[in-house]
Amino acid sequence: IIKNFPESKYKVFSGGNSRIDVAKNPNYHSQRARELKQKYGDFLFFPTKFGRCNFMKNSWDASKFGKFDPKKHKKFTTYPDTMKANLPNMSDEVYADLGNNESWEKKNMEAYMQAIEKCSKEFPEKNIIIRPHPAEDINTWKEFVENLSTKKIKVVDSSDAVIPWLIASHKTISHNCTTSLESALLGKPSINFTAYENNNYEWNLPLLVASTARDLDTLIKMIKSNEVPKIDNSLLSDYIRN
């Protein structure tokens, strides 16, 4: 905006992300956090973020708005095809990169599922709460839990703020997700479980504010540890203006 309207540069301000403002007042969420704690007890929190490999499979070409009609609309089963339908001029390089990203995320999702199962055995005294990202197909997670022989794992379909869940949890284990930032701002550093490293697809923020585990043994040790990692706020200045 400043580049195109230099005469108005004094009117332009970077206010930052509103999610940060919401996280600045944890007391606002304290009552809801107490309710969650009372309902679920001591729990490990797994907020998922796998929208590229576990997106809604009824996605269709958004250029044809309206209710999905299989006779009129093409149904997509891959993330690159869904994106290309809405960006028809997408280059082959970008299309291929989206496919690689989806494949990488799928491998990490499978590892994440293994981590959940492992934690249910390593911490039998704790409940495990899975909260799927709104962009994901929740049925994938429900089917995953149904195939496990435990009642300690629950999938919640919740559209409320994630902050009370972060506050109420014993530990939060996410993947390449900015919930790790909110958790850190609340004084509850989380664990970033990314089994398959890839500099092209990993966001920098989770690496800066969370303890990153690359394998199950390291993850278990981090959950058991009471050590609080130090966060260099100066490294966050490029990301957080508020």
Side-chain angles (χ1 to χ4, degrees):
I1 293 174
I2 293 175
K3 181 179 178 180
N4 285 281
F5 304 99
E7 72 280 2
S8 299
K9 65 180 181 179
Y10 298 109
K11 300 178 182 179
V12 179
F13 300 91
S14 176
N17 194 305
S18 58
R19 289 173 62 178
I20 304 302
D21 288 320
V22 175
K24 287 179 179 178
N25 186 11
N27 291 332
Y28 177 80
H29 303 276
S30 59
Q31 178 58 36
R32 174 62 175 158
R34 285 193 293 269
E35 293 172 357
L36 294 173
K37 191 77 172 175
Q38 184 176 12
K39 182 176 182 179
Y40 296 107
D42 193 18
F43 66 90
L44 299 174
F45 186 45
F46 287 80
T48 75
K49 192 189 78 70
F50 299 97
R52 296 198 169 187
C53 67
N54 185 39
F55 66 98
M56 297 297 184
K57 298 303 181 184
N58 64 343
S59 298
W60 65 85
D61 187 347
S63 65
K64 303 179 180 68
F65 292 106
K67 186 177 180 180
F68 178 73
D69 183 345
K71 295 181 180 179
K72 298 180 179 179
H73 301 83
K74 181 179 178 182
K75 198 170 183 179
F76 302 107
T77 57
T78 71
Y79 181 73
D81 285 341
T82 302
M83 296 300 291
K84 189 172 179 62
N86 299 295
L87 298 169
N89 295 324
M90 177 187 293
S91 68
D92 292 340
E93 290 77 13
V94 171
Y95 181 87
D97 186 60
L98 291 176
N100 292 333
N101 193 339
E102 180 180 8
S103 298
W104 171 80
E105 192 172 270
K106 188 175 187 298
K107 289 197 301 182
N108 274 294
M109 180 176 174
E110 292 169 350
Y112 196 77
M113 288 176 165
Q114 293 173 3
I116 292 172
E117 185 175 8
K118 176 77 171 178
C119 287
S120 69
K121 297 175 180 177
E122 289 285 337
F123 305 99
E125 75 285 0
K126 299 185 188 302
N127 288 314
I128 290 179
I129 303 298
I130 303 172
R131 174 173 157 145
H133 190 280
E136 286 189 63
D137 184 352
I138 192 173
N139 291 320
T140 301
W141 293 102
K142 290 181 177 179
E143 292 171 6
F144 162 68
V145 172
E146 287 173 0
N147 290 325
L148 299 178
S149 56
T150 177
K151 295 183 179 179
K152 286 287 189 177
I153 306 176
K154 298 176 175 60
V155 179
V156 296
D157 184 5
S158 180
S159 60
D160 62 349
V162 73
I163 291 177
W165 295 87
L166 298 173
I167 295 173
S169 68
H170 174 74
K171 285 280 178 72
T172 294
I173 301 93
S174 58
H175 161 72
N176 202 34
C177 183
T178 50
T179 52
S180 59
L181 171 61
E182 290 163 312
S183 187
L185 293 174
L186 293 166
K188 297 197 65 172
S190 61
I191 300 170
N192 171 41
F193 182 64
T194 302
Y196 296 92
E197 187 174 359
N198 191 308
N199 293 332
N200 292 326
Y201 305 130
E202 290 187 65
W203 301 117
N204 201 31
L205 263 176
L207 298 174
L208 292 175
V209 300
S211 300
T212 296
R214 299 292 186 184
D215 57 72
L216 293 177
D217 290 340
T218 302
L219 173 63
I220 298 303
K221 289 179 182 178
M222 287 181 174
I223 293 176
K224 292 180 178 179
S225 174
N226 292 321
E227 182 179 353
V228 179
K230 293 182 179 179
I231 299 173
D232 187 349
N233 288 332
S234 65
L235 298 177
L236 305 180
S237 60
D238 285 340
Y239 301 92
I240 306 173
R241 295 301 179 94
N242 54 331

